[in-house]
Amino acid sequence: MTAAQLGRHAALVENLHGRGLLDEIWRTVWDAVPRAPFIPRLAWRQTQTACEPLTTEADRLALIHSDEPVVIQLDDGKPDGPGIATSSNSQPSMVARMLRLLCIEDGHRVLEIGTASGYVAALLSHRLGDSAVYSVEIDEGLAHHAAAVLRARGYQPNLACSDGEWGWPGQAPFDRIIATCALRTVPHALVQQLHPGGILVAPLARDFWSGAVVQLTADGSGTAAGRFQGGASYIPMRSHRPPAPKPVDTTTCRTTTAAVDPREMLNLGFALYAGARLPRMRMVHADQADGAQVWLQDEDGCAATAVTGEDAYEYGVRSLWQEVERVHEEYVALGSPEARDFGLTVTARGQQVWLHHPERIIEPDQTLMG
């Protein structure tokens, strides 16, 4: 790398340190591991509507040295696809947050789910040593790229091309596990591969969530529990991609008064609560000039939409907008708890979202589910 590139990398690290995202140990690690060598020549910038190719070296380096993600694969690497991002080098500040939540100490063995570019594996290898780092990647092309660039940079962590859903049972147990792809649910296999007291940090993406980071601690009996630690936006694990919903029957369209501004539903605390109360309901939103639009849909094709200042529209046999408004009333009555007031418990029987403490489980409301 040129002196100018190293300077821009140093500025990025200083920015992360100044924001309190890197302690002195991690700051030294990040200083020693520039991001640029891990980004393939073919890369894209993610916008709200599409992935734009980085056509000049100046654009490529500007994005690499910013606090933004860099898309490194479209359409699982297949040609002539729709141009959907399927792998990325994550936003540096998000990587720093996730590594901080791991609470790594000298001597720990760490499993990474989703090698992708190899950058996080390099950071972990520099921090702990190659032999303590294990990383799995399902995509053969990405796994080959990561292995080559890691080797070229002098790192030799333990790498495997396999489905991260199953972890790396032959090398378990681990002190720490980090997922760098979004999970719909935490695979119990990963909990089983943690030492008692071991920590798992992962981004989750459910139907109602735009994304949330969870930090779980294993108790040694097959259970792990912990709190949500803020929002996150990660590309889904391949086996955890959401199924496509059924088409909406637009002939059943009807209006209903929107008593709640859609903007009030766009905080993570409400999303965590509503996602537990109304499982299998999907929510997406779009910002408007003076408000927001929300779109709700269930897996059977019922739907609803509302825009700030206007009536809501509902489709199908369920009244989804009225259901979500009633759940919002419950949420407000609880004091509108923050995202970190919620937690998750994972066992062999499944997983449950809770509020304030693990005994206060948020159960699905069958009366609202049609």
Side-chain angles (χ1 to χ4, degrees), residues 9-24 26-27 30 35 64-69 90-98 100 231 340:
H9 169 71
L12 174 60
V13 174
E14 178 60 30
N15 175 270
L16 298 176
H17 178 262
R19 292 159 61 186
L21 298 175
L22 300 176
D23 61 21
E24 291 303 325
W26 277 116
R27 180 182 183 178
W30 281 66
R35 189 186 189 193
I64 289 171
H65 292 115
S66 71
D67 187 24
E68 297 293 338
S90 301
Q91 183 180 10
S93 58
M94 184 60 67
V95 174
R97 281 179 53 204
M98 299 260 288
R100 182 178 61 180
R340 284 180 173 83

Side-chain angles (χ1 to χ4, degrees), residues 158-183:
N158 304 280
L159 303 175
C161 186
S162 61
D163 190 344
E165 170 88 17
W166 307 110
W168 198 330
Q171 296 297 331
F174 299 97
D175 299 289
R176 301 289 188 265
I177 296 178
I178 180 172
T180 57
C181 51
L183 312 176

Side-chain angles (χ1 to χ4, degrees), residues 13-345:
V13 174
E14 178 60 30
N15 175 270
L16 298 176
H17 178 262
R19 292 159 61 186
L21 298 175
L22 300 176
D23 61 21
E24 291 303 325
I25 294 176
W26 277 116
R27 180 182 183 178
T28 300
V29 171
W30 281 66
D31 274 332
V33 187
R35 189 186 189 193
F38 294 87
I39 307 300
R41 302 307 305 175
L42 188 59
W44 297 262
R45 173 185 286 104
Q46 178 73 67
T47 71
Q48 290 187 343
T49 58
C51 292
E52 298 178 348
L54 301 172
T55 57
T56 70
E57 185 65 6
D59 286 346
R60 180 176 178 274
L61 291 175
L63 186 60
I64 289 171
H65 292 115
S66 71
D67 187 24
E68 297 293 338
V70 182
V71 176
I72 62 172
Q73 186 192 68
L74 302 181
D75 307 316
D76 295 332
K78 298 175 182 177
D80 303 320
I84 298 173
T86 50
S87 186
S88 70
N89 183 276
S90 301
Q91 183 180 10
S93 58
M94 184 60 67
V95 174
R97 281 179 53 204
M98 299 260 288
L99 291 174
R100 182 178 61 180
L101 290 170
L102 275 183
C103 304
I104 285 175
E105 297 178 5
D106 293 346
H108 279 168
R109 297 171 74 246
V110 180
L111 171 64
E112 177 194 19
I113 307 300
T115 316
S117 70
Y119 184 57
V120 173
L123 292 169
L124 290 168
S125 295
H126 198 91
R127 172 68 178 84
L128 295 169
D130 295 335
S131 64
V133 178
Y134 297 77
S135 185
V136 297
E137 170 57 54
I138 194 171
D139 187 277
E140 291 185 5
L142 291 173
H144 176 78
H145 163 82
V149 71
L150 282 163
R151 186 169 55 249
R153 301 298 297 181
Y155 299 108
Q156 294 184 319
N158 304 280
L159 303 175
C161 186
S162 61
D163 190 344
E165 170 88 17
W166 307 110
W168 198 330
Q171 296 297 331
F174 299 97
D175 299 289
R176 301 289 188 265
I177 296 178
I178 180 172
T180 57
C181 51
L183 312 176
R184 285 180 65 79
T185 58
V186 176
H188 190 248
L190 299 184
V191 172
Q192 292 177 307
Q193 292 173 39
L194 280 170
H195 276 296
I199 293 174
L200 181 148
V201 174
L204 301 185
R206 300 279 182 87
D207 293 330
F208 214 94
W209 307 351
S210 59
V213 173
V214 69
Q215 180 191 46
L216 306 178
T217 301
D219 68 0
S221 68
T223 296
R227 292 184 180 274
F228 290 96
Q229 300 291 335
S233 180
Y234 274 80
I235 292 172
M237 179 185 283
R238 288 193 183 180
S239 57
H240 287 214
R241 292 172 180 169
K246 292 182 180 179
V248 174
D249 182 2
T250 57
T251 64
T252 61
C253 179
R254 58 197 181 276
T255 61
T256 185
T257 301
V260 178
D261 188 326
R263 287 177 293 191
E264 296 184 32
M265 298 182 178
L266 303 185
N267 72 80
L268 184 56
F270 173 69
L272 294 172
Y273 182 76
R277 292 288 281 157
L278 297 168
R280 299 180 297 280
M281 186 187 292
R282 182 175 303 183
M283 181 181 79
V284 296
H285 74 276
D287 294 328
Q288 303 287 323
D290 55 354
Q293 180 177 19
V294 162
W295 174 264
L296 306 168
Q297 187 169 353
D298 72 6
E299 56 190 7
D300 295 320
C302 298
T305 186
V307 177
T308 297
E310 300 181 13
D311 287 339
Y313 295 86
E314 295 181 318
Y315 309 83
V317 297
R318 289 177 66 183
S319 298
L320 294 191
W321 184 256
Q322 295 178 46
E323 290 181 21
V324 82
E325 283 197 339
R326 278 181 280 171
V327 168
H328 187 266
E329 288 179 5
E330 296 175 1
Y331 173 74
V332 173
L334 290 169
S336 301
E338 302 284 343
R340 284 180 173 83
D341 294 322
F342 294 90
L344 182 74
T345 297

